[in-house]
Amino acid sequence: MVIRTPPRTTPRRVPALGLLASIRPEALAAPESGIVELFNYGRGREGLIPLWIGEGDLPTPAFVHDAITRSLEAGETFYSPQRGLPDLRAAIARYMTTTYDAPFSGAGEFTTDRFSVTVGGMHALHLAIRLVAGSGDEVLIPTPSWPNFAGALATVGAHPVDVPLHIELGTNGENRWALDPAAVAAAINPNTRALIINSPANPTGWTATRAELEGLLAIARHHGLWIIADEIYGRIVFEGRRAPSFHDVMAEDDRILFVQTLSKNWSMTGLRVGWLEAPPELGATIETLIQYSTSGVPAPIQRGATIALETGDHFLALQVKRFRESRDVLCAALKATGRVHFALPPATFYLFCDIEGEPDTRALARRLVDEAGVGVAPGTAFGPGGESFLRLCFARNPASVAEAAQRLSAWLTAARA
Ligand code: PMP
C-alpha cells in the first residue's frame, strides 16, 4: 500500500491577501510540526515531565564544554574552512573507521574527503535533499517517520511518499517494526528520485536488519535512486556496539548520502554540529552549498565536536546504559496497564506505543499534559499509520521516567474504569 502524503498536520492557513500570499508556495508547504504544536501547548506547565522532545536531560559533558571555551579564549572566532576544520574532519574519519571499519567492502579506512561538517544533522539532511531532489520529485519515506523528512522535502518543492512500516514477530520472539521491500518497489514511479532510510528510526525504533538494508540497496540500484541514510541513532543500541549500516553492504559506486550528528550521542543538541558523508566526487559541490547556506560551523563548536569524537566514548556508553534502564522501567509499567501495545525498541530513545481505545492521540496528548502532567508527542505528528500511537522519549534519568510511567499508568487505568 502506498500513500501519497498530504501535509502531516494542519497546513498553515494562507490568507487570500497579505504578505503570506505573496511568498513562494514551497515556504508554506511544510506543515507545522505536530510535536512543536503540543510543546507550545504545554510549555512551562509546572511539574510536567517532558517526554515529547528528542533530547536527553544530561548537560553537555565538561570535556566538550572546556574545548569550546579554550577555542573561544584562543580567538577562534573567524571564518573557517567551509567543509570543516581539518582536525575535525580527520577525527570524523578516524571515528568512522573505528565504528564501521570501512566505507564499503574492500575499501581501506574512511578518508576525510568523504565528510563535510554541517550545522547539526538537520543541515546535513537539507544538503542531502538539495543534492538529489527538487520541484516535483518524489522521495520515499518508511512511515511512521520523523516529520522533518517530509517537512524538509516540502521546502524544496519535492513530494514525500510514505511507505508503511509494519509490526511483525522478530526472530527473538519480540515484536519488531519491519519494512516490506515489495511495498517500497511498488511506490516507485518515474518521478521517484530517492529513499530516506532512517535506521535506527525515530519514532518507531525500527532497526533495519542487514538483509533489509541489502534489499533496499538492491531496489535503489535497480531504479538508479539515491539513498539518504540517516543513521544518527546507530550507536544508541541496547545490544551490540552499533546497528547495521549501509556501510556494511554498500559498494564504492553506490549512491548513498549519510546524515550524522553529534547532538544525541554527546548531549549537544543546542550546539548544532554534525556531518554529511558523500562520495568524494561531490565534495566541491557540497562545499558551495555550504558556502551559500550557512558558510560553515563556528570553529569553537567544531573543537568541542573533535574532542567528543576522539575521547567521548565513555560518555556515550553512560548515556546508553541510562537509556536502557529508563526504557525498561517505562515499558514494564505501561505493559502492566494492559492498554498499551508496542514493539520493544532495540535502539534509539523513543517508545512508540499504541494506546487501546484512544484513536485521536492529538487530543489524548493534550489531556495527558493537563491531567497526568506528562508531555508526550502525538502519533499524528509522524504521518499515516501513527495516528493511534504516542511517542515517549525516555532519554531522562530513570527515576524521572519511572515517575512519568507511574503517572501515565494511573491515568490510563483510571480513564478505563
Ligand atoms: N535525524 C533524526 C532521525 C532525528 O531524530 C534528528 C533530531 N531529532 C535529526 C536527524 C537532527 O539532528 P540535529 O539536532 O543534529 O539537527
Side-chain angles (χ1 to χ4, degrees), residues 120-122 146 149 198 202 230 232-233 261 263-264 272 350:
M122 191 60 229
W146 185 45
F149 296 132
N198 170 214
N202 171 7
D230 178 332
I232 76 158
Y233 295 103
T261 181
S263 288
K264 318 283 174 166
R272 316 302 308 134
Y350 304 107

Side-chain angles (χ1 to χ4, degrees), residues 96 100 116 118 120-129 146 149 196-199 227-234 247 256-262 274-278:
M96 290 298 289
Y100 297 96
S116 303
T118 59
M122 191 60 229
H123 182 217
L125 173 66
H126 238 288
L127 294 176
I129 288 174
W146 185 45
F149 296 132
I196 296 183
I197 304 299
N198 170 214
S199 168
I227 292 175
I228 298 177
D230 178 332
E231 300 189 349
I232 76 158
Y233 295 103
H247 285 304
I256 307 185
L257 301 167
F258 291 86
V259 169
Q260 270 296 353
T261 181
L262 281 278
W275 70 83
L276 176 65
E277 182 189 340

Side-chain angles (χ1 to χ4, degrees), residues 11-66:
R12 298 220 178 101
R13 259 180 287 124
V14 182
L17 293 169
L19 283 182
L20 284 182
S22 71
I23 65 171
R24 291 291 310 160
E26 297 88 339
L28 294 164
E32 184 183 10
S33 158
I35 310 171
V36 174
E37 185 194 78
L38 194 83
F39 181 62
N40 288 338
Y41 175 75
R43 187 203 300 264
R45 294 293 171 97
E46 207 171 318
L48 181 125
I49 302 178
L51 307 183
W52 42 26
I53 303 288
E55 66 183 352
D57 63 346
L58 287 181
T60 303
F63 58 91
V64 172
H65 187 277
D66 292 349

